[in-house]
Amino acid sequence: TLSESRPWTSTEGKVIEGKLIAFEDMTVEAAPGSAPTGSPTPPAHPTVVRDGKIRLLVNRKPVEVPLSRLIQSDQNFAETIRTAHSPKP
């Protein structure tokens, strides 16, 4: 996850509680018959915004939300997270 759980508000005033997550799915591989060890390593530069959408984890399910459907302060929050995770020149 890229943020703690927080309320996200649509431009229509609907509020959903969710965590901002990256578009990359992480998997852990293990040899047949053995349990995975450790935790997956997150990508160095996760994709926060793709095709004008963010991805939220809502009730343990990923949901894609167009940024244009969120109020400006939530768009700004997502942009702050995207900038923080962007590669540095």
Side-chain angles (χ1 to χ4, degrees), residues 1 44 59 66 81:
T1 64
N59 296 324
I81 299 296

Side-chain angles (χ1 to χ4, degrees), residues 26-40:
M26 295 181 287
T27 58
V28 177
E29 294 185 24
S34 67
T37 58
S39 59

Side-chain angles (χ1 to χ4, degrees), residues 5-82:
S5 187
R6 65 186 294 279
W8 296 83
T9 306
S10 74
T11 53
E12 294 85 29
K14 182 179 177 184
V15 178
I16 58 172
E17 186 78 22
K19 297 178 182 183
L20 182 64
I21 58 174
F23 276 93
E24 291 82 9
D25 288 325
M26 295 181 287
T27 58
V28 177
E29 294 185 24
S34 67
T37 58
S39 59
T41 303
H45 305 291
T47 304
V48 179
V49 177
R50 182 169 65 193
D51 299 328
K53 297 178 183 177
I54 60 170
R55 196 171 182 216
L56 300 177
L57 188 62
V58 179
N59 296 324
R60 295 188 219 151
K61 294 180 182 176
V63 177
E64 290 186 18
V65 179
L67 273 174
S68 62
R69 303 261 334 254
L70 296 174
I71 62 172
Q72 190 62 51
S73 60
D74 287 344
Q75 291 181 36
N76 294 346
F77 178 80
E79 180 60 23
T80 299
I81 299 296
R82 187 192 68 75

